[in-house]
Amino acid sequence: MQIQDLPYADPGVPDARSGPRFLWWLGRNQLGGQVKALAWGLLHFTSVAGLPFCVGFAIQAVVDRSGSRLALAGVMLVMCGFTIALGDTFLHRSAVTNWITAAARVQQLLARKTAQLGSALTRRVAAGEVVAVSTGDVEKIGWFVEAVSRFTAAALTVVLVCVGLVVYQPALGIVVAVGVPVLALAVLPLLPRATRRADFQREKAGRATELASDTVAGLRVLRGIGGEELFLDRYRRASQEVRHAAVRSARMWALISGIQVLLPGLLMIAVVWHGVGLAREGRITVGELVTVYSAVMLLTYPLRHFEEIAMAYSFSRPSAKRAARVLSLERATDTDGSREATVPTGDLYDPATGLLAPSGCLTAVVCGDPDAAGRLAERLGGHAPEEGTSVLLDGVPLDELPLDSARTAVLVQDKDPVLLSGTLRELLDVPASGQVGPEEALTAAQCGDVLEALVQGSLDATDPMDARITERGRSLSGGQRQRLALARSLITDPNVLVLDEPTSAVDSHTEARVADGIRSLRAGSTTVVFTSSPLLLDLADRVVLIHDGEVAAVGLHRDLVRREHRYRAVVTRETDEETDEETDEKVSETSEKAAFARRTQDRKSPLSEVLDELEEIEETA
């Protein structure tokens, strides 16, 4: 697999039972790239290891005054230099390819898992942890995967050099063959402590990332209640904990690096000391002494990869563990489904609660518990957080349909929809039936002021569709973000549209117009709205009260608010039962407000006209 072939057509099914198993699975799926990197690594390292033999051969030729052997030594040095450069170039190329492809595979797996789980993901894993896994952790995982081939090439080179020295000069080769394994294994007792410190550092960094993500997400609310300084202090403390943990981890790795420098130096001193004695006795030549000395000196280069693989594993293991934990999450229902990929149409029915949404009707659902309403909305879309009785669409269990078919049939917009950064045109470029255009959806969602705000906030965009939306729509108000998300949902024009509190962040005047827009645009289609707003409830064809997890009452808003005290308590925010006269007054008042809001949705109020006249007078003055 080459970089230009990314993304993978199928990233595969990962072994997410543990972090090490996941790393092993990644390595097995890149055997071609690993073998290629191993081959280039062997060429590079063996060429580096061959330099001492060429140098020793040349020095002995000078001592023996042999011009032909000196010329041969020169040719050998040139060949070694060429193969060193060639091997190093392609080793780096193949290693980086392995790194990037491994990281890309992990990111694809995470993206696929996120798409499968949907909103259930953030209920089971913190959003900050998902961000940490998909950014920093994938790089560390890719680092270990690509470092394995270079470490293997370095280890094989060390073995070949030791064997070659024993054959070339047994008296000194045996010293090297005994000393090198000691060098490689000397730091093993320190690795567990270094790994624990690295794990502790990664844990602290992950918590700081989660805290920063949550703080940024709720910054608007924190500013409203004056809590930004409190959370800023918390992040400062978390950041300092990360710094202290990083310093302690760096100290341990510095000690390991120091040992990796000290022990080869001691081995070199021992070889030179013993070799000089052998040379004085005439048992070895000067060229042989120089060869062994140079070989020991250059062995420090491949030995560095022993430290690197230990460091890469210690950093990648907790990252792989976090990635495996996310990838091991499963939907409560089968993603592939047991039925053929069809898109049924008809009544939507939930056997668990008894909720029925007739085909072609606008059904409003009133539920006193917002969390229970959110869970029920997910169930209606076939995204149940836990196993249970499946929701039926035209008598077909949604849980038995393939995930793509279930999502095509029923679209769920939760109460906190996310706007991705990009232009408005890109935001509204979603899979759709083609029956509803962007202009119709934006008009129905009352996004006129949103379009004006986007154009005013853009420097070079005259068309609102080309205006850019910042990350998560932070430059817009809560009501503006909510209406843009509603327009995006309306464009898709699904058979069944489930909306969870679509107008909770807008004023009553705008809410009435949005309600009319939804009703007119979705005429003849099945729409389920979770709300407690009288303006929306008054327009619904059918209102259902959910109490204690089951349907408690069904009817029209006017009827239910008169005869059902539990419904009235949720809609009017009352705790005691109202008298009949007070109830009639409230129903009449609510209806009048709704009617007034609809009458005035296309014209300005007298107060607005007076304000406009005052503005014109001020501009003229």
Side-chain angles (χ1 to χ4, degrees):
M1 177 65 71
Q2 299 296 321
I3 294 178
Q4 60 263 28
D5 297 326
L6 294 175
Y8 292 98
D10 181 12
V13 180
D15 186 351
R17 288 176 290 177
S18 65
R21 287 179 181 271
F22 181 59
L23 291 174
W24 174 248
W25 179 84
L26 282 175
R28 285 191 294 107
N29 280 269
Q30 291 187 199
L31 283 180
Q34 296 286 0
V35 170
K36 186 182 296 184
L38 176 61
W40 289 116
L42 282 174
L43 176 64
H44 174 63
F45 290 128
T46 53
S47 299
V48 172
L51 284 176
F53 294 95
C54 297
V55 172
F57 186 75
I59 290 177
Q60 192 60 42
V62 172
V63 172
D64 297 339
R65 299 179 180 277
S66 173
S68 60
R69 283 190 293 166
L70 183 61
L72 178 60
V75 174
M76 293 169 59
L77 285 171
V78 171
M79 291 181 61
C80 281
F82 175 75
T83 53
I84 287 173
L86 181 66
D88 190 27
T89 299
F90 285 93
L91 170 61
H92 178 74
R93 180 185 178 90
S94 56
V96 171
T97 300
N98 290 337
W99 188 338
I100 293 176
T101 51
R105 185 189 295 271
V106 177
Q107 285 182 325
Q108 276 190 256
L109 291 170
L110 291 171
R112 186 176 67 178
K113 181 60 66 174
T114 302
Q116 289 176 356
L117 295 176
S119 59
L121 176 63
T122 53
R123 295 181 183 269
R124 303 165 69 178
V125 181
E129 183 171 353
V130 178
V131 173
V133 172
S134 59
T135 53
D137 285 340
V138 295
E139 294 186 2
K140 294 176 177 60
I141 293 172
W143 176 27
F144 174 76
V145 171
E146 69 87 11
V148 169
S149 56
R150 289 190 289 111
F151 164 73
T152 305
L156 291 175
T157 301
V158 169
V159 173
L160 290 175
V161 169
C162 290
V163 172
L165 288 177
V166 171
V167 174
Y168 177 73
Q169 179 44 251
L172 290 177
I174 293 176
V175 177
V176 177
V178 173
V180 168
V182 174
L183 298 181
L185 303 177
V187 297
L188 283 182
L190 299 177
L191 289 180
R193 181 176 297 181
T195 301
R196 286 195 299 270
R197 291 190 179 185
D199 291 349
F200 183 73
Q201 176 196 350
R202 300 306 305 167
E203 180 183 355
K204 290 293 184 182
R207 290 179 181 176
T209 302
E210 293 176 15
L211 180 60
S213 177
D214 294 341
T215 302
V216 172
L219 188 59
R220 190 182 296 269
V221 177
L222 291 176
R223 285 176 176 171
I225 62 177
E228 61 268 27
E229 286 297 328
L230 174 62
F231 276 79
L232 180 60
D233 290 339
R234 290 182 181 178
Y235 181 74
R236 283 172 178 164
R237 289 195 297 269
S239 178
Q240 290 302 313
E241 290 177 358
V242 173
R243 185 179 67 84
H244 290 309
V247 170
R248 293 184 71 250
S249 178
R251 286 174 180 170
M252 184 56 64
W253 288 112
L255 177 60
I256 293 175
S257 299
I259 293 175
Q260 291 287 321
V261 174
L262 175 63
L263 293 184
L266 295 177
L267 177 62
M268 192 178 302
I269 293 174
V271 168
V272 172
W273 184 276
H274 184 53
V276 169
L278 294 177
R280 286 179 177 177
E281 296 174 3
R283 296 171 58 184
I284 63 172
T285 63
V286 175
E288 291 173 339
L289 176 60
V290 172
T291 298
V292 176
Y293 167 77
S294 301
V296 173
M297 181 178 66
L298 291 179
L299 272 180
T300 58
Y301 174 57
L303 282 174
R304 293 175 189 170
H305 292 78
F306 285 71
E307 176 192 350
E308 181 189 9
I309 194 66
M311 183 179 294
Y313 180 72
S314 66
F315 276 91
S316 65
R317 188 173 61 85
S319 298
K321 181 180 179 181
R322 282 195 293 268
R325 187 157 69 92
V326 175
L327 295 175
S328 63
L329 299 176
E330 296 293 342
R331 295 181 72 245
T333 57
D334 185 13
T335 301
D336 297 328
S338 57
R339 293 176 177 262
E340 60 178 333
T342 59
V343 182
T345 58
D347 296 345
L348 183 67
Y349 176 67
D350 179 24
T353 60
L355 172 62
L356 173 66
S359 176
C361 295
L362 172 60
T363 302
V365 180
V366 177
C367 185
D369 184 357
D371 292 333
R375 292 192 295 269
L376 178 56
E378 291 183 356
R379 277 180 49 79
L380 294 180
H383 314 305
E386 56 187 18
E387 294 185 2
T389 306
S390 174
V391 173
L392 304 178
L393 180 59
D394 196 23
V396 178
L398 282 180
D399 292 352
E400 297 180 6
L401 290 175
L403 182 59
D404 291 342
S405 299
R407 288 181 172 175
T408 301
V410 183
L411 174 67
V412 179
Q413 176 182 304
D414 60 22
K415 66 184 65 178
D416 188 23
V418 176
L419 301 183
L420 300 179
S421 59
T423 64
L424 180 59
R425 194 184 309 278
E426 294 171 342
L427 176 70
L428 301 181
D429 185 16
V430 293
S433 65
Q435 300 299 318
V436 179
E439 184 176 350
E440 297 174 89
L442 291 169
T443 301
Q446 302 300 313
C447 294
D449 62 320
V450 184
L451 301 182
E452 294 178 1
L454 289 174
V455 172
Q456 292 176 358
S458 300
L459 298 177
D460 53 353
T462 56
D463 187 353
M465 300 298 291
D466 295 327
R468 295 198 62 81
I469 299 174
T470 57
E471 181 186 2
R472 300 179 68 91
R474 300 190 191 282
S475 60
L476 302 174
S477 67
Q480 291 173 331
R481 291 197 303 269
Q482 199 172 57
R483 282 177 282 159
L484 279 182
L486 175 60
R488 180 178 58 186
S489 299
L490 293 174
I491 286 177
T492 61
D493 190 31
N495 295 333
V496 180
L497 177 60
V498 180
L499 303 173
D500 188 4
E501 295 289 353
T503 59
S504 59
V506 299
D507 59 85
S508 59
H509 183 73
T510 305
E511 186 177 29
R513 294 189 295 170
V514 170
D516 278 338
I518 294 175
R519 182 177 177 83
S520 60
L521 194 62
R522 294 287 299 172
S525 300
T526 307
T527 306
V528 180
V529 181
F530 286 81
T531 183
S532 59
S533 168
L535 296 174
L536 278 170
L537 296 172
D538 193 50
L539 290 178
D541 301 316
R542 175 186 176 90
V543 179
V544 180
L545 171 65
I546 302 293
H547 183 72
D548 290 337
E550 60 182 16
V551 173
V554 179
L556 295 177
H557 169 62
R558 287 170 173 258
D559 299 332
L560 290 176
V561 81
R562 283 194 180 95
R563 60 181 173 84
E564 181 59 55
H565 71 278
R566 291 173 298 185
Y567 178 83
R568 187 165 56 250
V570 176
V571 174
T572 62
R573 307 296 194 273
E574 294 173 355
T575 56
D576 298 323
E577 188 174 349
E578 292 285 329
T579 62
D580 292 339
E581 293 181 0
E582 291 173 336
T583 301
D584 291 339
E585 291 177 0
K586 288 183 177 293
V587 172
S588 177
E589 182 182 354
T590 299
S591 301
E592 290 177 1
K593 286 183 178 179
F596 176 76
R598 287 194 292 271
R599 286 198 308 270
T600 59
Q601 63 182 16
D602 294 324
R603 59 186 177 87
K604 297 181 179 179
S605 65
L607 178 60
S608 299
E609 294 176 357
V610 172
L611 292 176
D612 290 343
E613 292 179 3
L614 290 176
E615 290 180 358
E616 292 179 1
I617 294 173
E618 291 179 357
E619 291 176 358
T620 303

